Each structure stands twice: as structure tokens, then as C-alpha cells.
């Protein structure tokens, strides 16, 4: 049966069909749907772990126990999981273990544009790269087989366009796999120096075998159509190239991106007069060609930044540009914004009003950095808000402690904020940390986390109480506010900044997009009372604008949260009381 | 046949994902090779979003580039203007006449262009303007503008109504099916 499937759903189908038993991941765009989709198969145990390192260790534990296992994450998640990754390369596996890492060229939803192939090279792990949904499923199934055959974890590299494009997939039945026998084997799994030294030898031997396999594997495909032009490429770039050139040039499409097949590349290059290397982000294939003495054109044409496309390839290689229509006027940009009714809005307005420094973190609330709120000073990576606040305060002392806060979401706090909070307790700054508890992992599309009381399968789970947790981590002052109550929120922030103790403020209200959140009727502006002071525009709500010189609320967007009513000094906004 | 390209553009949260999935299902059941490219994550939060649907004998790239779209369906006026460069010469534009001000307009640092639909008509582009929001509300839910627009699109493509209905059944929860069928019909009978 053929089905139109998202690359990530097809990946999950591969996990299912390959008989995988244990899945543990942390959400991150563009990888999230792999795990959500895998969780829908009742034969697969699937969970959200608190972070990627935990997820990978769970998957490795399941593999050692003899099950086929999987963990998925976005590119920056692999940095968090790099610790287990590099040593899992040494231990190898028992049951097959597959890791998905989804790169985000173009940074559609990410803070950097790193190329995960470097992690595969550095950790000496086999990496495959599919180019459409059909290949996602097939490559994943092969990845499990190869993992067991070569005794190694296998990484399958996704990218935004492969992960979030739908194409047709042929569905097969699941092949149930018996648990492999588990035998205690410290020489393989206890990586202390004496054993690890021997395992490193095994890793190098395995890389040689994998390099030989890459030369003959059908995952690497050669299409000889022309002796003039040859293109070496992989993943989505293959699809772009194919769209431009069809069958008029020759292709070496690499399904295995680590290790690269040296002889195959040399043989292919010998067939063609000129060779182009088309790869997004880093110059990994091109560097290999250079080392093999093959003259290619690649990064000098395409650069290292952003996504490629058929248009870029056509322009850079063929000098072709499409004729286009134009509107002929400047069009205002439409950046993403906090949704109407977003509980973060009231809090960020308070921070903006108090003119404090805000060390930010990764989530929807990063949008607090945008106009008109402009309430963020730094955003680096998961958990960095709290640790960088501590550093900021150590550097600038009391002056900073009185006017600097960290903001971090509930899921991000569980991911890697906790250890940073321990540092504040242990090494003592009078820091003020605000946990934005919207009772869900918002940005990635509503995933459960340890503070929500539900697990990935939707069943009731143990719920971590943030107040108790922060107290247990040594914070004496823990207060809870409702960010819809802006006056109280502002008062509490002022008090906690003033006090000479470390404190945590939990700003608690569920995400307005959650299904169980009941919306109030849309608010209305009384145009007789409105004097167009524009105070209501200061909160950056997408539902409020000026129409016919008066404030106007879009009834299709407004959820009646009432933040704008608190802003209005003239009682001009009402309608839901 | 050569590859046909349809772009669905709008503001995050307006339901372009569902529209592209309905269309994708129609095209797959008509036996085409189909690729649909979506946007997830941060850009979904009220930002400008675009979904690509391509079909034909063999589709390679899932994305649509400037000058390549046979049809652009826009859920909002400003977004229609924004994506015009992606329309092929002689392509069709279907626009819901809804206006949603982006944040730079709300905060007063930019202006929402006036008479967008009139100006597009004057460039000679084939444009159908639809009050999809009112029609969706008439069908029972303002969120169904996306399905109204699919109804309009169906009159530009040569597929049987049953195929569209089947796709609706596959993509829409059962309790909303009747309302969505009504919205679709209002688009067809424009």
C-alpha cells in the first residue's frame, strides 16, 4: 500500500517495521514527529526523556539489553548527547541502535546551522542520509541491520526539507525481533582505560570495514548519463540537482555520508570531464575530493550558508535566472509572534516595563526578544539562561543582581536548567530566575514533559512539582504568579530582584493553544471610549491593531485573555464579562 | 506531464498545513507522484508561512522557487503580495481577502499597503478574490477558510468531487466533516 507520508512519519514507520522496541527522544524541530509518530505504534515503547543525553543513554541501555532501540533529536541536541555518542562508538551495540539527527540548514527553527556530519566523523560512527520519505523508511531499516552487523550505533541524518516534506511510501509489515541474548561483557561495555584502549582498536578496524562496505553498498548510487558533467551529492541536494539537470548529467548520490567511499568517488570522477559537489552547509564531500586529488567545483559556487535549492543550483552552474512577477511595493515583513492569549506576553511586558536585563533561553518565549516587547538580552542554548545569569551577576555584582533575570520554560528547565540552578545555590549569587511554566513543551508543538503529568503515549505519569524541585535544589524563595495578572507579576519581580537571596518565580499558566484551555469570548473595543492612546499595542498582541483611528480587536484571533484590558486606562476594552 | 506546482501561503495558525494535506491526498489518489513541503516550529507562530505542493510524473525537489508556481492560494492579502514573485507567468492567484496586520504594522514601523487586490489585478495577473472568512463562518467555523479555498481551487483543477470528498474524510476529524464539506461547497459555488 502506498501512502503520502512526512519524512519523519516514514522514518517512524521504518522504526516500526524494523522491529524496534525502545524509543527515547527529546523533541526538537525538525526531528519531533519521528518520535511522536513512532509512539502511535503499540508494539513500540516510546518516551520523551528530559534531554537528549538521557535519551541516548536509554537507547544504548536498551540496545545492550538486546533490543532494537532508537533515539531522535535535532542537530543541537546531538551536542547534548555527544558524551554518550562518542563512547557508544567504542562499546558498540547488542540490539541494533539507530540515532536520528535532524539538521536545519536555513535555520527555520534553530539557533545555529551546524553540520552534524562532523559529529559522525569525529565519533567514528556510520551515518546514512536519505533524500525523500521512501528512502527515510528504507534507510532506517537498513541502519538497524548495519548496526547489528557492524556492532555500531548508526546515525541517520535528516534535514528540514526531508523531515518536513511528504512523498509516497510503500508500507510493509513489521518484522518482530526477539531480544538478543544478554551476557555480561565488561571488556565491551565498561569503558575504563584498560578496556577502552582495546575497544579503540576495534573502532578503527570497524571503520576500515565500513569504508569497504561503502564502496559496494547500494545505498551509494551512481547514475551515468553523461561523460561531460558529473555531480556528487547527497540527501535533499540530490533532489534539487535532479530537478535542474534531470538525466542530462551523471550523479554519484551518496546515501552513506560517513565514511565516504574513496574508490567509488575516484572512479566516478574519472568518468566525467567536470565534477560539481553539491552539499548544504559544510564542505565535507568536497574536502574528501581535494584529498583524493580530484578537482571539483563546490563551495566556491554555493558557499556555506543556508539552504540550497533548484534555483540556486541553476543560477550558479547554468547562469539561469527565472523571470518573475512583482507587486512593485515594499511589503512589511511578518515575523513570528507570541500567539494571542500567550501567557508569556504579560510577563515579558512587565520585564520590558521594568527595563531589566533578561538572559533568555530556547522556546516560544525567545519571541520576547522581538518588538514591541524587546525584553531579551541573550539567547544561547538550552539551559544557558540560568548559568549565564549567574556569570553575569558574578561579573557585575550587586548592581546586576538587582536588575537582571533569567527566563526559562518548564521543559527547558527540566532539560538542562536544573544543574544551572544548583550552581546558583552552590556558588551563591542573589540571582532571580523566572520559570515560564506553560504546562507543555510549546515551540515544538505540544510535547509532554516531566512537569505536565502525562507521558508521550498520553497516559498519566508522575508529575514533578517545580516548587518542590527548586526548593530541593537549595532555593529558599520560590513564588508562583499568574502572568495574566500583570500588576501582581510586576510586584513579585520587583520584590525578588530587591531581596538579597537567590529566588525562583514560577510564572504559571497553560499555553493558550492547549486543547483543554477554555477560551473566553473575543473582547471588543468601545470606540466611544477609545482615545487611541495605543497603550494596548505595547503588548504586541497580533489580534489588536488600529482601524479607522481606533483600536480594533480581531475576533478570529482574540481568546479573551484580558491583558489588553489591564493596559487600557479608559475602560474601552470589554465584552466578555 | 510536466510538474505542476501549487503554493499555499498565509499566516501561521490559519490552517495551511491541513489544506496542503487535503490537496496532497487528492493528487496521490489521482495517481501522481506528489511532494508536499511544510513549515513547522517557530515560523508557525503567527509568521509568514508557505507550503508547497508539487505533482506530476516524477517530482524531485519538494520546494517551489521564484517563477515556478502554477497556482498560489493565499489566506491573506499581504501574503498574496509577498509571494507574487513565485508565480509563473500566466499562473493563477486565489486570495482570501482577509487582512491580518503583521507586528511591524501594529507597532507603527511599517505600513500595510492599500488596495492590494486592485493593484494585483492591474498587473494583469489572473486573480480570484474570495471572502473566505465570511463563507467559513457561514459554514459554521471561521477556521474553515482553508477548506473554502480548497473548494475554489477544485474548480481550477480537473478532479472529481468524490476525490476531494474522500481526501476531506481522510484529513478532517469526523465531527467536523459535515461543516468542512459545507465550507468546501461554498468555495466551489462561488
Amino acid at each position: 500500500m502506498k501512502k503520502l507520508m512526512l519524512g519523519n512519519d516514514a522514518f517512524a514507520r521504518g522504526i516500526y517495521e524494523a522491529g524496534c522496541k525502545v524509543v527515547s527522544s527529546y523533541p526538537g524541530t525538525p526531528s519531533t514527529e519521528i518520535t511522536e509518530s513512532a509512539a502511535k505504534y503499540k508494539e513500540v515503547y516510546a518516551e520523551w526523556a528530559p534531554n537528549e543525553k538521557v535519551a541516548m543513554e536509554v537507547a544504548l541501555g536498551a540496545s545492550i539489553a538486546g533490543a532494537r532501540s532508537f533515539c531522535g533529536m535535532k542537530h543541537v541536541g546531538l551536542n547534548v548527547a555527544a558524551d554518550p555518542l562518542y563512547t557508544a562508538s567504542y562499546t558498540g551495540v547488542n540490539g541494533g541502535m539507530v540515532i536520528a539527527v535532524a539538521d536545519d540548514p536555513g535555520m527555520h527553527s534553530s539557533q545555529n546551522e551546524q553540520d552534524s556530519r562532523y559529529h559522525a566523523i569525529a565519533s567514528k560512527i556510520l551515518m546514512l542520509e536519505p533524500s525523500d520519505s521512501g528512502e527515510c523508511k528504507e534507510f532506517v531499516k537498513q541502519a538497524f541491520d548495519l548496526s547489528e552487523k557492524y556492532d555500531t550505533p548508526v546515525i541517520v541524518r535528516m534535514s528540514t526539507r526531508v523531515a518536513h516534506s511528504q512523498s509516497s511510501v510503500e508500507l510493509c509489515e513489521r518484522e518482530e525481533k526477539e531480544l538478543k541474548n544478554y551476557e555480561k561483557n565488561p571488556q565491551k561495555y565498561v569503558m575504563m582505560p584498560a578496556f577502552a584502549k582495546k575497544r579503540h582498536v576495534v573502532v578503527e578496524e570497524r571503520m576500515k570495514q565500513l569504508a569497504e562496505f561503502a564502496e559496494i553498498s547500494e545505498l551509494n548510487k551512481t547514475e551515468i548519463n553523461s561523460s561531460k558533467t558529473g555531480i556528487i551529492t547527497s540527501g535533499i541536494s540530490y533532489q534539487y540537482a535532479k530537478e535542474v539537470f534531470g538525466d542530462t548529467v551523471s550523479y554519484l548520490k551518496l546515501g552513506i555520508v560517513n565514511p565516504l567511499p574513496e574508490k567509488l568517488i575516484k572512479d566516478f570522477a574519472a568518468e566525467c570531464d567536470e565534477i560539481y559537489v553539491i552539499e548544504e552547509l559544510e564542505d565535507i564531500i568536497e574536502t574528501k575530493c581535494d584529498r583524493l586529488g580530484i578537482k571539483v567545483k563546490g563551495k566556491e559556487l554555493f558557499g556555506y550558508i543556508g539552504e540550497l535549492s533548484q534555483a540556486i543550483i541553476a543560477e550558479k552552474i547554468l547562469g539561469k535566472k527565472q523571470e518573475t512577477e512583482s507587486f512593485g511595493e515594499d511589503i512589511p515583513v511578518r515575523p513570528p509572534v507570541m500567539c494571542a492569549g500567550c501567557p508569556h506576553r504579560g510577563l515579558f511586558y512587565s520585564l520590558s516595563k521594568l527595563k531589566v536585563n533578561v538572559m533568555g533561553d530556547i522556546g516560544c518565549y525567545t519571541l520576547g526578544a522581538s518588538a514591541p516587547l524587546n525584553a531579551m538580552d541573550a539567547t544561547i542554548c538550552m539551559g544557558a539562561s540560568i548559568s549565564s545569569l549567574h556569570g553575569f551577576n558574578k561579573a557585575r555584582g550587586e548592581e546586576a543582581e538587582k536588575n537582571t533575570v533569567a527566563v526559562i520554560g518548564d521543559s527547558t528547565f527540566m532539560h538542562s536548567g536544573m544543574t544551572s540552578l544548583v550552581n546558583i545555590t552552590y556558588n551563591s549569587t542573589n540571582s532571580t530566575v523566572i520559570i515560564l511554566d506553560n504546562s507543555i513543551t510549546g515551540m515544538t508543538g505540544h510535547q509532554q514533559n516531566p512537569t505536565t503529568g502525562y507521558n508521550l503515549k498520553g497516559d498519566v505519569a508522575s508529575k514533578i512539582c517545580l516548587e518542590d524541585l527548586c526548593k530541593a535544589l537549595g532555593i529558599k524563595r520560590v513564588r508562583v504568579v499568574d502572568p495574566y495578572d500583570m500588576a501582581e507579576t510586576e510586584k513579585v519581580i520587583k520584590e525578588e530582584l530587591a531581596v538579597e537571596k537567590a529566588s525562583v518565580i514560577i510564572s504559571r499558566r497553560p499555553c493558550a493553544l492547549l486543547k483543554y484551555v477554555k477560551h473566553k469570548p473575543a473582547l471588543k473595543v468601545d470606540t466611544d471610549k477609545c482615545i487611541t492612546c495605543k497603550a494596548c499595542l505595547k503588548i504586541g498582541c497580533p489580534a489588536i491593531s488600529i482601524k479607522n483611528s481606533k483600536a480594533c480587536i480581531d475576533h478570529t484571533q482574540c481568546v479573551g485573555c484580558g491583558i489588553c484590558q489591564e493596559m487600557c486606562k479608559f475602560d474601552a476594552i470589554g465584552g466578555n464579562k | 506531464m510536466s510538474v505542476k506546482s501549487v503554493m499555499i501561503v498565509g499566516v501561521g495558525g490559519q490552517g495551511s498545513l491541513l489544506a496542503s494535506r487535503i490537496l496532497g491526498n487528492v493528487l496521490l489518489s489521482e495517481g501522481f507522484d506528489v511532494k508536499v513541503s511544510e513549515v513547522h516550529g517557530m515560523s508557525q507562530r503567527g509568521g509568514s508561512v508557505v507550503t508547497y505542493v508539487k505533482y506530476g510524473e516524477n517530482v524531485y525537489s519538494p520546494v517551489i522557487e521564484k517563477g515556478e508556481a502554477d497556482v498560489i492560494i493565499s489566506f491573506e492579502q499581504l501574503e498574496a503580495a509577498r509571494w507574487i514573485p513565485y508565480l509563473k507567468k500566466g499562473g493563477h492567484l486565489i486570495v482570501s481577502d482577509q487582512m491580518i496586520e503583521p507586528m511591524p504594522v501594529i507597532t507603527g514601523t511599517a505600513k500595510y499597503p492599500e488596495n492590494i487586490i486592485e493593484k494585483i489585478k492591474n498587473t494583469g495577473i489572473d486573480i480570484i478574490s474570495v471572502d473566505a472568512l465570511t463563507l467559513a463562518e457561514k459554514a459554521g467555523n471561521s477556521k474553515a477558510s482553508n477548506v473554502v479555498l480548497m473548494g475554489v481551487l477544485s474548480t481550477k483543477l480537473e478532479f472529481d468531487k468524490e476525490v476531494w470528498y474522500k481526501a476531506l474524510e481522510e484529513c478532517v476529524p469526523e465531527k467536523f466533516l459535515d461543516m468542512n464539506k459545507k465550507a468546501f461547497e461554498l468555495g466551489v459555488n462561488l
Side-chain angles (χ1 to χ4, degrees):
Chain A
M1 180 190 140
K2 257 193 177 173
K3 214 181 151 192
L4 200 56
M5 282 178 119
L6 209 58
N8 281 347
D9 291 335
F11 197 121
R13 182 73 194 185
I15 290 172
Y16 165 76
E17 289 179 8
C20 176
K21 277 201 173 60
V22 177
V23 167
S24 184
S25 304
Y26 185 79
T29 315
S31 71
T32 312
E33 301 81 9
I34 301 173
T35 301
E36 285 186 322
S37 188
K40 290 181 183 145
Y41 299 104
K42 65 177 190 328
E43 296 88 343
V44 180
Y45 168 78
E47 65 177 27
W48 290 127
N51 68 33
E52 295 86 353
K53 171 177 146 68
V54 174
M56 191 176 289
E57 291 156 355
V58 170
L60 183 59
S63 161
I64 291 170
R68 285 194 161 186
S69 70
F70 166 80
C71 64
M73 60 205 67
K74 68 184 293 172
H75 59 333
V76 287
L78 195 55
N79 302 338
V80 179
D83 203 358
L85 178 77
Y86 283 63
T87 304
S89 172
Y90 279 36
T91 63
V93 302
N94 185 17
M97 174 171 164
V98 171
I99 299 157
V101 59
D103 285 4
D104 190 15
M107 291 182 273
H108 295 272
S109 202
S110 301
Q111 66 270 40
N112 77 26
E113 216 170 1
Q114 68 186 53
D115 189 326
S116 295
R117 292 178 295 173
Y118 277 130
H119 268 310
I121 294 167
S123 64
K124 306 202 174 213
I125 286 179
L126 175 65
M127 180 182 253
L128 312 184
E129 183 173 24
S131 74
D132 63 17
S133 300
E135 283 187 1
C136 283
K137 198 198 81 168
E138 289 314 314
F139 281 30
V140 169
K141 290 170 79 174
Q142 288 206 42
F144 276 108
D145 291 341
L146 292 168
S147 171
E148 285 170 1
K149 184 172 174 201
Y150 290 95
D151 189 8
T152 175
V154 177
I155 304 174
V156 179
R157 181 193 188 217
M158 301 286 278
S159 65
T160 301
R161 295 299 180 184
V162 175
H164 287 163
S165 292
Q166 300 182 52
S167 51
S168 69
V169 178
E170 192 71 50
L171 303 188
C172 309
E173 294 299 314
R174 174 173 165 100
E175 209 177 301
E176 211 53 67
K177 296 277 172 189
E178 289 299 310
L179 274 184
K180 291 203 164 189
N181 196 25
Y182 171 71
E183 275 170 38
K184 189 168 174 152
N185 186 353
Q187 285 81 4
K188 186 170 186 308
Y189 296 118
V190 180
M191 286 301 94
M192 55 188 192
F195 296 153
K197 281 177 189 171
K198 290 187 179 132
R199 290 303 299 178
H200 190 185
V201 178
V202 174
V203 170
E204 296 305 326
E205 182 52 39
R206 184 182 72 213
M207 282 312 284
K208 272 189 212 152
Q209 290 169 14
L210 285 169
E212 283 167 23
F213 167 72
E215 300 290 355
I216 54 160
S217 167
E218 287 181 358
L219 290 162
N220 293 326
K221 279 202 176 84
T222 308
E223 297 172 33
I224 300 294
N225 301 312
S226 146
S227 58
K228 184 174 171 282
T229 305
I231 290 174
I232 306 176
T233 184
S234 72
I236 194 67
S237 301
Y238 166 77
Q239 303 288 356
Y240 296 149
K242 195 85 184 175
E243 175 126 346
V244 175
F245 297 105
D247 294 337
T248 64
V249 301
S250 296
Y251 300 91
L252 173 55
K253 176 187 175 295
L254 298 168
I256 301 174
V257 289
N258 187 55
L260 291 170
E262 297 187 355
K263 185 171 177 299
L264 190 64
I265 291 173
K266 272 194 213 160
D267 291 351
F268 177 75
E271 297 267 351
C272 304
D273 300 337
E274 53 173 8
I275 298 287
Y276 292 95
V277 172
I278 305 181
E279 57 187 325
E280 285 180 325
L281 302 179
E282 297 302 313
D283 54 0
I284 287 166
I285 302 171
E286 188 172 345
T287 304
K288 175 63 92 178
C289 291
D290 282 349
R291 279 173 63 183
L292 295 172
I294 301 164
K295 208 172 145 351
V296 302
K297 280 190 183 152
K299 290 299 165 191
E300 61 179 283
L301 298 175
F302 302 114
Y304 297 81
I305 300 167
E307 293 188 282
L308 296 178
S309 71
Q310 62 268 26
I312 294 172
I313 293 169
E315 188 191 333
K316 299 293 179 186
I317 298 184
L318 301 173
K320 264 195 199 165
K321 254 188 147 171
Q322 279 279 5
E323 268 185 64
T324 62
E325 305 272 1
S326 147
F327 181 63
E329 263 181 61
D330 278 350
I331 295 166
V333 293
R334 190 187 296 276
V337 290
M338 288 177 192
C339 307
C342 177
H344 303 325
R345 176 169 288 109
L347 182 99
F348 276 93
Y349 178 71
S350 301
L351 294 175
S352 163
K353 196 174 154 201
L354 294 170
K355 295 195 169 58
V356 292
N357 307 315
V358 181
M359 308 308 277
D361 223 298
I362 306 290
C364 288
Y365 47 92
T366 313
L367 294 169
S370 312
L373 297 165
N374 301 316
M376 199 163 286
D377 292 64
T379 299
I380 315 295
C381 65
M382 299 284 283
S385 58
I386 300 179
S387 6
S388 61
L389 170 68
H390 177 74
F392 197 87
N393 287 344
K394 281 288 178 196
R396 300 189 78 89
E398 200 183 328
E399 166 234 341
E401 287 176 346
K402 298 258 183 277
N403 76 342
T404 312
V405 301
V407 292
I408 184 167
D410 47 337
S411 186
T412 310
F413 181 73
M414 296 310 297
H415 178 283
S416 47
M418 286 191 290
T419 40
S420 304
L421 193 62
V422 168
N423 195 39
I424 284 179
T425 302
Y426 176 49
N427 290 311
S428 164
T429 43
N430 298 326
S431 294
T432 304
V433 173
I434 303 173
I435 301 178
L436 304 162
D437 178 11
N438 64 351
S439 309
I440 203 73
T441 313
M443 180 97 281
T444 44
H446 287 178
Q447 288 72 37
Q448 304 295 342
N449 70 54
T451 70
T452 65
Y454 293 91
N455 64 23
L456 167 58
K457 293 264 186 182
D459 301 325
V460 172
S462 290
K463 178 175 170 149
I464 304 262
C465 169
L466 283 169
E467 294 91 311
D468 291 352
L469 176 59
C470 294
K471 284 179 191 160
L473 297 177
I475 304 294
K476 302 271 187 307
R477 296 182 67 89
V478 179
R479 301 178 70 178
V480 181
V481 296
D482 174 359
Y484 275 4
D485 184 347
M486 289 201 293
E488 174 70 9
T489 300
E490 191 183 318
K491 180 173 150 272
V492 170
I493 295 171
K494 274 188 188 161
E495 285 169 8
E496 294 312 314
L497 279 169
V499 76
E500 290 188 353
K501 285 204 171 82
S503 46
V504 168
I505 302 167
I506 300 169
S507 170
R508 178 169 291 148
R509 183 164 274 274
C511 171
L513 299 183
L514 281 166
K515 284 209 176 89
Y516 68 79
V517 172
K518 292 270 176 284
H519 293 165
K520 292 184 186 162
L523 296 168
K524 284 196 190 90
V525 176
D526 182 338
T527 47
D528 292 336
K529 288 185 182 168
C530 175
I531 61 149
T532 326
C533 68
K534 299 189 181 175
C536 55
L537 299 187
K538 289 185 186 161
I539 52 173
C541 176
I544 311 177
S545 58
I546 299 292
K547 293 250 157 68
N548 304 321
S549 303
K550 297 281 177 181
C552 173
I553 296 175
D554 175 0
H555 71 283
T556 65
Q557 291 195 66
C558 178
V559 298
C561 77
I563 296 275
C564 57
Q565 280 176 303
E566 291 179 61
M567 296 297 293
C568 184
K569 300 270 186 295
F570 302 92
D571 200 25
I573 301 174
N576 73 354
K577 281 172 192 163
Chain B
M1 69 170 267
S2 63
V3 171
K4 297 272 182 210
S5 301
V6 179
M7 268 170 84
I8 303 173
V9 304
V11 178
Q14 280 191 301
S16 59
L17 275 191
L18 176 65
S20 67
R21 287 184 177 187
I22 294 167
L23 179 57
N25 268 288
V26 167
L27 297 168
L28 191 74
S29 58
E30 288 291 312
F32 293 108
D33 187 25
V34 184
K35 282 191 177 163
V36 179
S37 188
E38 308 176 347
V39 177
H40 297 230
M42 185 172 263
S43 11
Q44 271 183 301
R45 302 277 171 263
S48 170
V49 294
V50 50
T51 314
Y52 310 110
V53 181
K54 294 171 81 168
Y55 62 103
E57 207 172 303
N58 277 307
V59 181
Y60 296 109
S61 167
V63 302
I64 297 171
E65 281 286 340
K66 285 184 179 164
E68 291 182 351
D70 295 279
V71 181
I72 295 180
I73 299 153
S74 179
F75 289 25
E76 200 268 352
Q77 290 195 31
L78 184 65
E79 295 310 308
R82 185 188 314 286
W83 295 98
I84 279 178
Y86 284 72
L87 197 64
K88 198 181 261 180
K89 291 263 178 205
H92 308 288
L93 187 55
I94 300 171
V95 189
S96 166
D97 66 6
Q98 198 180 349
M99 292 165 74
I100 301 174
E101 294 193 352
M103 201 45 68
V105 172
I106 292 175
T107 57
T109 57
K111 266 199 77 167
Y112 196 104
E114 288 173 352
N115 305 322
I116 289 179
I117 289 173
E118 205 55 38
K119 284 176 189 161
I120 296 174
K121 271 185 189 154
N122 292 342
T123 64
I125 291 172
D126 175 51
I127 176 171
I128 305 177
S129 164
V130 191
D131 185 357
L133 187 60
T134 305
L135 293 176
E137 282 170 347
K138 206 169 141 192
N141 193 327
S142 62
K143 290 206 163 62
S145 319
N146 51 4
V147 178
V148 173
L149 291 170
M150 286 297 104
V152 182
L153 174 69
S154 74
T155 63
K156 290 268 166 197
L157 305 174
E158 293 147 7
F159 310 130
D160 291 342
K161 189 182 282 176
E162 293 79 65
V163 183
W164 285 93
Y165 269 38
K166 210 177 130 252
L168 274 177
E169 280 157 23
E170 276 167 33
C171 300
V172 174
E174 214 189 316
K175 61 176 174 174
F176 298 122
L177 191 59
D178 284 343
M179 187 270 294
N180 277 294
K181 281 183 177 169
K182 210 169 148 192
F184 184 82
E185 283 304 320
L186 288 168
V188 172
N189 299 320
L190 195 68

